[in-house]
Structures are given as structure tokens and as C-alpha cells.
Amino acid sequence: MTKTIKLALAASMVLGATSAFATNGSALIATGAKARGMGGTDIGVSHGAESALANPALITSVEGTEVQFGGTLFMPDVSYEMTSTGGNVPAGTSLGDGTSAADMSMIPEVSLASKINDSFSWGIGMWGTAGMGVDYRDEGGMEMVTNLQLMQFGVAFAYNVAGFSVGATPVLQYGALDINYNMSDMGGPANVGAGIAQDLALGVNLGAAYEIAGATIGLSYKSQIDMEYKGQLSSATQPFVDFGIFPQAMGDKLSTPAEIGLGASYNIAGNTIAFDYKKIKWSDAEGYKDFGWDDQDVIALGYEYAADLWALRAGYNHANNPISDAGAVTLAQGGATPGNYAGNALNMFNLMGFPATVEDHITLGGTYNFSKQTSVDLAYVYALESETTLASMPADTTGNGNWDTNTEMSVKHSQQSVSVQLNYAF
């Protein structure tokens, strides 16, 4: 039965097979087109059925039944350059660069919400929620290829009385992780990797909201979901144990972090202003804390103007870069003893394999109502280019088997995405 479920989930994610989406860390700023058009604000403003995942208490705004079906075409642009900082090669000399071929993926989203009576509502949905990865297989060097994909299936329940609502969405999360690279230039194996690993795990999203006189205040909580991808992180880090860089291989857990959030919105004469704040607890999540990720503070601002047949949206989303400097040791300080370079190795893994470094997003969106029953939503998100530079592993530039040159790695990362969502209400 478990194998059947995994195959069904994997089939539903085929369009995202070259996944490389990473925005707030590895998580999307939002899953639905309405929220994405408003800077990712979805905690204190209802977007109908798509609110089932972000704040399930808000699906009580749906009158009757609403179905939303859509997806996001995600187009990241990621590149790196390795540069000498001294040693056998003059500082500033380029030692290699590359552009990731994982530059396009499709992310699905389906939501349904229905009002049972004036007090009770329910919903169901399937959402691509997070992912990240690169593909440098044709760029030489380490030929790093990574791919993390997460999808959640959930059933939402909400209760409303006198403007106050609470909701819960138990979720089943499917995850797939693959890490491969070539370490022959450093005297290691030419093929490091264990193939794709998958896992299923349960979590829960909780929400509350209070609405009065056009103002809404919302609270949200997403539980940590513990995932384990057998043979992935342990295989990827074992060569660095063999070199004496890491004391032991990492475990294979890579948990989806817990989130807590607060949101508010105000609507007057068709104008809605929304604000969200949430904290993503990367530092407590297995795997991410081993890679030294910091917690993220996410701030989102959104605006919507709604007329009878159409609506326009705009927004801004900012999240601090969770990847911090793990520490660096240079050849001059530590000689060529491999055990000194654990921080350098972590920096390299983070920047080359999982460059979740973008911080600022500008968003636009809109809706056109074909009738009272049908409408279409569009959203465009642009993540401004960020550049992150950290000390990396030393290089063997003489080919004599000795590390003789200090290096640093710079990663540039920007993103564009277009979301389309069809809505039907009855």
C-alpha cells in the first residue's frame, strides 16, 4: 500500500522533475496565484479555497463550494564561480564557473473548500510547497546535481462563530531527494550518490482568524515534519569523512521546519492591504541545522484592488538569507591538514548544492471574472538577484595530489515565475 501511494505521488510530480524552486529558504512564498500576486500574504487575508494550507481558518469565507486548479512555471537562474584567494595561484584568479541547467519546473496546486453550514467548513487540496536544486553535470568540476521536492496533501476543517474562526489541516507530505557529484578532482570518488530517495510523513497546519468591520487578524502554525531520505546525506558527506574533514557522516534526516506566523489585512471600498510576518525554524530542523542554516524572518506586504469583473494585485516579500558562513580556514593558517576545513566544506555544499540565497521578491497579479461561477487568476513573481560569497574548499591546482590554493565561491541567484489558477464556484 505504501509503495502504491508513493508511486501515485511521484507520478503527480513528474512535471517538477527538474525542480529548482527555492524562495524563502527552500519554501515557496505562497502556493496559490492570489497569494503569490500579493507578495505571499495569506495568513490574515482569505484567498478562498487556496487558504486551506496557509491558514485553514480562512476557508470559512467561501460561500457554497469553490474549486481552484492551477500551477506555477518556475524559472530560476543560478550560477557560481570559484576564485583563488591566495596560495599557489594569484588571488582573484577564476578556478571554474558554471550555470545550472535546472532552470525550469512546473509546480501544481489544487484546492477545494465548501461550507457545510454557517459554522462549519471543510476543504481538501494538493500543493507543491517546497524544493531546491541545481544541475551542473555539464559544467565540469564537481558536476553537482541536487534535487529536493516536497508536495503536501491535506484535508482542512474550520469552525466559525461571531467573526472568530479556527481551523486545522492535517497534511501528508511526500518528499524526494537526490544528491550526486564528482569528487575526482580532489582525489575522491568520481561518482558520489545513492539515487533518489523518497519518504512520506504527517504534519498539521493550524490557524485562527478574527474579522470585524473589514479588518482581519490571523495566526498560523505549521508543525515540523520529520523526513528521512535513506542514503542521501550520509553518502554525500562520507567522502569528507574519508578525507578527515568531517568527524562523521551526517544522518539522512532532512526535516521540513516548523513555522509560526501572524497576519493582518484591511478592506475598504474594494481596496485591501495585507501584512504577514512568519518565522521559519530552520535551525531546529534535522539536516538543515547540520548545514548551519539560520532561522528566517519573513515579511510580506500585499495590495489588491477588486472591481466587479476584475482585480489587480501587487506585493513585496523579504526573507533573510538562511545560509551563513560556517567558518573558514586557509592554507596559511592550517596548512594542508584536511580536518581543518569542515566549515569550508559546509559553505561549498550550501552554495553549490542548495543555494537558497534570494531575499527580495516583487509580485504582480490579477483576476478576471468570466461569470459569477468562473474566473482566472494570474501572478508574476520576480526574485531580485542576490550574490553570496563564502570561503570554499582549497583546490589542487598543480595536480600533485596536494591542496595548494585557497578558494572562495560566489553564487548568483535570481528567479522568475508565472502562476495561473482557474476558479469555479457553485
Side-chain angles (χ1 to χ4, degrees), residues 27-36 40 42 49-54 68 70-72 107-111 126-130 150 152 222 278 419-421:
L28 294 174
I29 64 170
T31 57
K34 288 186 176 70
R36 291 181 64 80
D42 54 13
E50 74 176 62
S51 293
L53 189 67
Q68 298 174 332
T72 295
I107 309 166
E109 180 260 333
V110 180
S111 304
M126 174 190 76
W127 306 274
T129 58
L150 297 180
Q152 294 185 351
K222 296 181 179 181
K278 62 184 176 183
S419 302
V420 180
Q421 182 170 275

Side-chain angles (χ1 to χ4, degrees), residues 179-340:
I179 304 173
N180 289 274
Y181 64 90
N182 181 345
M183 207 175 183
S184 59
D185 285 351
M186 298 175 66
N191 184 21
V192 178
I196 297 174
Q198 305 171 75
D199 196 16
L200 290 170
L202 296 173
V204 64
N205 295 355
L206 304 176
Y210 181 66
E211 183 178 358
I212 183 172
T216 302
I217 298 176
L219 298 171
S220 68
Y221 169 76
K222 296 181 179 181
S223 69
Q224 178 172 303
I225 303 178
D226 294 324
M227 308 290 286
E228 184 172 2
Y229 304 102
K230 294 182 179 179
Q232 287 299 312
L233 296 177
S234 57
S235 295
T237 54
Q238 182 60 46
F240 290 85
V241 178
D242 298 338
F243 273 119
I245 298 172
F246 292 158
Q248 61 186 23
M250 291 184 182
D252 288 319
K253 292 183 178 180
L254 190 67
S255 299
T256 300
E259 295 182 19
I260 55 174
L262 168 68
S265 66
Y266 182 69
N267 175 274
I268 182 171
N271 296 275
T272 301
I273 299 174
F275 168 81
D276 277 3
Y277 165 80
K278 62 184 176 183
K279 180 176 282 291
I280 307 178
K281 301 288 288 181
W282 299 107
S283 66
D284 293 335
E286 294 290 338
Y288 291 102
K289 66 180 180 182
D290 296 327
F291 280 95
W293 281 36
D294 297 326
D295 293 345
Q296 277 188 308
D297 294 302
V298 183
I299 295 174
L301 300 172
Y303 170 76
E304 177 188 71
Y305 176 74
D308 290 338
L309 293 179
W310 53 271
L312 293 177
R313 303 181 183 92
Y316 170 75
N317 183 290
H318 174 81
N320 55 291
N321 180 357
I323 296 175
S324 59
D325 193 344
V329 172
T330 67
L331 292 166
Q333 293 172 318
T337 304
N340 291 326

